Amino acid sequence: VSGNGSGVAAAPALSATGVETMTYREALRLAMRQEMERDERVFVMGEEVGLFDGSYKVTAGLLDEFGPDRVRDTPISEEGFLGAGVGAAMLGERPIVEVMTLNFLLVAMDQVVNHAAKVGAMFGGEVRCPLAIRTPNGAGNQLTAQHSQSFDGWFAGTPGLKVVAPASPADAKGLLKAAIRDDDPVLVIENLPIYKEKGEVDLDPDLITPIGRAAVARAGGDLTIVSHSFATVRALHVGEKLSAERGVEVEVVDLRSLRPLDVETVAASVAKTNRALCVEEGWPSYGVSAELAARIQHTCFDDLDAPVERLGMAEVPLPYAKELELAAMPTEDRIEKAVLRTLDLAA
Amino acid sequence: VATIDSTAAPVDPSVAGLYDRYRTMFLIRRFEEAAERQYKAARIGGYCHLSSGQEATTVGAVAALQPDDLLVTGYRCHGFALARGVPAESVMAELFGRAHGCAHGRGGSMHLLDVSRGYYGGWGIVGGQMPIATGMALSLVRRGAEQAVLCELGDGAINMGAWHESLNLAAVWRLPIVFLVINNLYGMGTSVERASAEPDLFKRAAAYRMEGERVDGDDLEEVEAATSRLLRAAREERHPAVLEAVTYRYRGHSVADAGLAYRTKDEIEEHRREDPVARTRELLEARGVPADGLDAIEHEVEAEVERAVAFAEADEAPPVDRLAAGVYTPGSEEQFERMRPGSPVGEEELVFAGGLGE
């Protein structure tokens, strides 16, 4: 019962150790394979995760390796199979529900926000919901208004949920594993444009990235960029460019977790640099950067030499035409300009 | 037939089961009446959905469950909790929002549960429990268990997308689940005829090549027999099914609704003449159980409900410093410890100060 139409190579042995360079997509797959190997209760379900090898090939080869019971194709029924994940999790399974993109998760919003997030508290702690939800967001491929959105802040603002958003292959593996092992519902926000990004990944099956811990992805003393997911990748590029061209040293704090939010690491960085720029792929109004700005001004009021700056998607439904799409996005060029503006430097 | 006293079940085994079921039906009736009084006395808050009139469906369906079968319901759930054996004290304390309620005062009337009895809630969004119950049935299949899930919903829920998605998933995956549609003729104030293009609700099962069946929901034995048969097919052959039980709710949608804007007093009276509790009592009498024995059991139940109210009144409030208990699994404190700086005013004390975990 398998079709390997994509010609994905046979899965490498899980016994390998050491560090390997792989893509973000491969790191996610490694995390799932390791956790499925480790724990019988772990299974994957979603649209096209099996026979089709995954809409974005993240689950490629898993059907061959684990069979149709543990790699379960679903009909196009996001509310139905997301809720099925909640129910299975309440009975002690460890489902990984893949939703094709974050845009489609809205169809299952009721199950995520009204159900999964409520199980623990509403039933007085009598039953838990150890569910991992994987879904990518991201703009930039002319996917237009309904397929280019980042609602990270909506979910991160919901008590009862945990939300992580890895920026690197190492954290893609580490955070997904942490999400699968966690006893609460965890939304893992992946990102379409960085599925192909490569990085070094420690193969150690016991190595996870702890939830609730940000990372200083680049050290610098002039300004702190706070970001997550693809925005971190962009910020790191900008950091290198500004260092080489202008001698400006940007510190990049990669949030990794949105809820719990590691405000301590953000604040420590801002206390050092005295300036903060919050960058996200989503709309900034009421967004992740809004939350960050509030916390930074409260915590670092006496440290700040400039108002906290924010940059995100232009507040329009994303248009199709390439020029318009580009004009809306928080590109590296716009991040660079925002850094210089926050530093009172000419562009 | 032996004389029945107030503490012993009848000796005749052919009547014993019915006798127990009658006791539970009467308990639900008296419990709901007490709940309404307590709500009107402002000891119960929020929404309070009563099931008076639906006792034969509730008790008949739950009686068909094996001890290890699972039960998932919507929010009109007091009767289901009681029928599954959750102590009346624990249910009433939950309605009062007290510490020893079955959800520790976190859930209230709509979110009763008892995991030890396989009762997984008590869900408040119309239709939202269906995908969850479907996932539980999937889990039973994955572990090779010969158990089934009974998922209760109201007639109003079957026009939700979740109904379609859940039935389709249950059918394509061949899951051991019975969807019990309690058709009490109205979803809030909208009659089934006004809401459903196919008012023979059980027929919708055909769209999923699933067995669909309708019973008189006020006939205890008919409900139990049909539910038993469908649950057995679910357990043994993984045949999901729909069972529509046609009944009537005497009270409004919730206590706040007088229930008269969309139906007449005459209509309600007409249904009361076929009262399922009275019908079941008549059945017992017809089978030789003496009236004084039944009277005695009714007095016993009334005392039980009084004790439940007294227990709830005397029970303590959940401690405020445990506000956040249960939101996240104990052990999550470490994950949240770096979130405190810059917390909105008050959040730090309420959410982070020892609130997590039990």
Side-chain angles (χ1 to χ4, degrees):
Chain A
V1 249
S2 80
N4 217 335
S6 64
V8 173
L14 280 172
S15 54
T17 54
V19 173
E20 217 174 79
T21 299
M22 66 179 75
T23 63
Y24 186 99
R25 171 189 285 117
E26 288 163 344
L28 291 166
R29 188 185 306 144
L30 176 65
M32 285 189 280
R33 291 179 60 217
Q34 287 181 343
E35 293 307 300
M36 290 174 81
E37 177 80 10
R38 173 179 175 268
D39 186 346
E40 275 292 318
R41 299 170 302 172
V42 179
F43 69 100
V44 184
M45 67 177 159
E47 293 150 1
E48 311 295 355
V49 296
L51 206 58
F52 194 85
D53 271 336
S55 304
Y56 296 102
K57 307 303 174 197
V58 177
T59 56
L62 294 189
L63 177 62
D64 280 345
E65 193 171 359
F66 296 100
D69 174 56
R70 299 186 71 193
V71 183
R72 182 172 290 267
D73 282 321
T74 69
I76 305 172
S77 300
E78 285 87 358
E79 181 181 10
F81 67 75
L82 203 303
V86 175
M90 287 177 70
L91 293 192
E93 308 254 12
R94 299 261 157 184
I96 306 168
V97 173
E98 177 179 309
V99 177
M100 205 181 290
T101 82
L102 187 62
N103 306 278
F104 311 152
L105 192 55
L106 300 199
V107 181
M109 196 73 167
D110 180 53
Q111 285 299 328
V112 179
V113 175
N114 265 332
H115 294 82
K118 302 298 187 278
V119 167
M122 188 171 84
F123 292 128
E126 290 285 315
V127 58
R128 309 295 335 169
C129 182
L131 171 69
I133 306 167
R134 292 183 36 241
T135 190
N137 66 8
N141 287 313
Q142 290 187 279
L143 299 175
T144 320
Q146 294 181 320
H147 292 79
S148 304
Q149 305 171 95
S150 296
F151 300 116
D152 312 9
W154 293 9
F155 297 96
T158 301
L161 294 181
K162 294 171 182 172
V163 181
V164 299
S168 69
D171 285 333
K173 168 189 170 259
L175 285 171
L176 178 53
K177 289 169 71 79
I180 295 166
R181 294 183 187 190
D182 203 89
D183 289 327
D184 292 315
V186 184
L187 174 63
V188 182
I189 300 179
E190 302 167 4
N191 186 277
L192 291 174
I194 55 176
Y195 271 149
K196 60 182 183 305
E197 293 276 327
K198 286 187 175 170
E200 287 193 339
V201 174
D202 191 324
L203 301 178
D204 181 355
D206 293 322
L207 187 70
I208 64 156
T209 302
I211 291 173
R213 296 291 182 273
V216 176
R218 184 185 196 282
D222 295 330
L223 173 145
T224 300
I225 295 181
V226 191
S227 56
H228 65 282
S229 190
F230 192 22
T232 292
V233 176
R234 296 182 200 268
L236 290 171
H237 291 160
V238 171
E240 291 310 307
K241 181 164 184 268
L242 283 174
S243 174
E245 293 178 3
R246 310 276 302 238
V248 169
E249 295 303 334
V250 163
E251 181 146 303
V252 177
V253 175
D254 178 24
L255 292 173
R256 304 199 291 192
S257 289
L258 300 180
R259 186 184 194 94
L261 183 65
D262 181 354
V263 184
E264 222 172 275
T265 297
V266 173
S269 176
V270 175
K272 183 177 78 174
T273 64
N274 311 114
R275 290 171 201 260
L277 167 65
C278 308
V279 185
E280 63 178 317
E281 291 284 303
W283 296 307
S285 293
Y286 304 94
V288 175
S289 62
E291 180 64 30
L292 286 167
R295 301 232 181 197
I296 292 169
Q297 67 82 17
H298 190 278
T299 313
C300 308
F301 191 73
D302 293 328
D303 299 315
L304 288 169
D305 288 343
V308 178
E309 290 287 340
R310 297 196 285 152
L311 180 64
M313 190 70 76
E315 304 214 347
V316 296
L318 219 63
Y320 171 71
K322 193 69 203 165
E323 298 81 354
L324 296 178
E325 182 186 50
L326 207 58
M329 288 174 44
T331 56
E332 289 175 18
D333 186 47
R334 289 177 68 206
I335 295 172
E336 184 183 332
K337 288 196 171 85
V339 169
L340 295 174
R341 190 173 63 241
T342 312
L343 287 166
D344 284 325
L345 296 174
Chain B
V1 176
T3 306
I4 296 163
D5 67 30
S6 64
T7 54
V11 175
D12 181 352
S14 70
V15 185
L18 187 59
Y19 182 85
D20 284 345
R21 287 154 183 62
Y22 175 70
R23 187 187 192 286
T24 307
M25 289 175 70
F26 194 79
L27 170 65
I28 295 171
R29 177 66 56 89
R30 287 290 182 264
F31 185 95
E32 297 290 53
E33 289 165 357
E36 181 163 10
R37 281 195 300 276
Q38 297 302 324
Y39 187 92
K40 287 176 173 168
R43 293 193 184 95
I44 296 172
Y47 295 134
C48 187
H49 308 89
L50 306 178
S51 63
S52 301
Q54 304 182 178
E55 293 88 349
T57 294
T58 307
V59 174
V62 173
L65 291 168
Q66 294 292 320
D68 59 355
D69 284 338
L70 307 181
L71 174 68
V72 180
T73 74
Y75 47 78
R76 198 177 301 283
C77 59
H78 309 165
F80 280 94
L82 294 169
R84 196 56 175 158
V86 185
E89 292 176 347
S90 167
V91 178
M92 191 63 84
E94 189 58 39
L95 268 54
F96 274 58
R98 302 290 89 182
H100 294 89
C102 56
H104 308 292
R106 265 44 174 213
S109 163
M110 296 187 285
H111 306 302
L112 305 173
L113 87 159
D114 187 337
V115 171
S116 72
R117 292 177 167 86
Y119 178 34
Y120 283 88
W123 297 86
I125 306 290
V126 171
Q129 75 275 26
M130 288 189 274
I132 291 170
T134 302
M136 290 181 175
L138 171 63
S139 178
L140 295 179
V141 168
R142 275 181 38 75
R143 59 184 80 178
E146 205 167 276
Q147 294 162 252
V149 179
L150 182 69
C151 177
E152 181 268 348
L153 57 137
D155 52 84
I158 88 159
N159 297 315
M160 297 284 292
W163 157 266
H164 161 65
E165 294 190 17
S166 301
L167 266 69
N168 188 60
L169 285 175
V172 295
W173 289 343
R174 290 188 54 221
L175 300 181
I177 182 165
V178 175
F179 295 95
L180 171 68
V181 182
I182 299 189
N183 179 356
N184 60 20
L185 313 189
Y186 298 90
M188 275 190 83
T190 304
S191 68
V192 169
E193 285 72 21
R194 291 171 64 213
S196 288
E198 173 50 272
D200 289 343
L201 307 181
F202 69 100
K203 289 182 181 170
R204 295 204 194 179
Y208 311 94
R209 298 194 175 180
M210 195 185 281
E211 189 167 340
E213 182 172 340
R214 173 185 271 174
V215 292
D216 174 359
D218 295 333
D219 185 325
L220 176 78
E221 292 181 313
E222 194 183 333
V223 173
E224 184 174 343
T227 315
S228 289
R229 183 162 31 77
L230 295 176
L231 281 172
R232 193 179 319 115
R235 260 181 240 116
E236 294 173 5
E237 299 160 63
R238 292 176 52 186
H239 281 170
V242 170
L243 178 64
E244 176 189 0
V246 182
T247 179
Y248 198 76
R249 103 171 113 69
Y250 294 162
R251 311 304 296 160
H253 167 68
S254 68
V255 179
D257 164 35
L260 292 168
Y262 47 91
R263 55 187 195 177
T264 63
K265 281 183 176 166
D266 286 349
E267 179 186 306
I268 299 167
E269 274 317 302
E270 195 180 312
H271 283 278
R272 278 187 181 275
R273 280 197 287 277
E274 294 297 317
D275 182 62
V277 178
R279 270 171 75 174
T280 306
R281 182 177 163 126
E282 285 159 17
L283 198 60
L284 276 163
E285 289 179 9
R287 291 183 190 173
V289 177
D292 58 351
L294 293 168
D295 291 343
I297 209 73
E298 290 177 2
H299 294 317
E300 187 185 293
V301 164
E302 281 160 359
E304 185 179 339
V305 172
E306 278 175 30
R307 279 198 306 277
V309 172
F311 176 86
E313 275 175 339
D315 195 10
E316 63 209 2
V320 171
D321 64 2
R322 306 287 296 147
L323 174 64
V327 178
Y328 292 101
T329 304
S332 298
E333 296 89 336
E334 197 187 337
Q335 295 176 351
F336 279 86
E337 70 188 2
R338 294 194 190 170
M339 196 165 174
R340 288 184 211 193
S343 290
V345 175
E347 186 184 77
E348 186 161 342
E349 289 72 23
L350 293 173
V351 177
F352 298 110
L356 290 162
E358 289 294 334

